[in-house]
Amino acid sequence: AALAEERSALREALSGLSARDRLILTLVEMDGAPQARVAEALGVAPESVSALVGRARKRLKARFAPEGS
């Protein structure tokens, strides 16, 4: 039951992100895409990908974190 609740909370947190953040996290975290592929999909320089991933993760964490933590 706890796992189902956590998955539901994660889906909700992801749905609250921008389409760009969802794409970044999907490509990197779920697909394991290399930086060059992520950069091409986003139309940015490969050197920018690390920062974009970091920001997307931070926004997801802020949405996913339990209240008061």
Side-chain angles (χ1 to χ4, degrees), residues 16-34:
L17 295 177
S18 69
R20 185 177 184 171
D21 280 351
R22 285 193 308 272
L23 176 60
I24 291 167
L25 293 172
T26 299
L27 289 171
V28 172
E29 301 296 345
M30 300 172 105
D31 297 346

Side-chain angles (χ1 to χ4, degrees), residues 51-67:
L52 293 172
V53 170
R55 287 186 215 125
R57 285 177 180 153
K58 185 175 183 177
R59 287 188 281 268
L60 177 62
K61 185 176 181 180
R63 295 190 65 82
F64 188 63
E67 296 290 324

Side-chain angles (χ1 to χ4, degrees), residues 18 33 35 38-39 42-43 50 57 64-65 68:
S18 69
Q35 281 192 329
V38 176
L42 297 173
S50 291
R57 285 177 180 153
F64 188 63

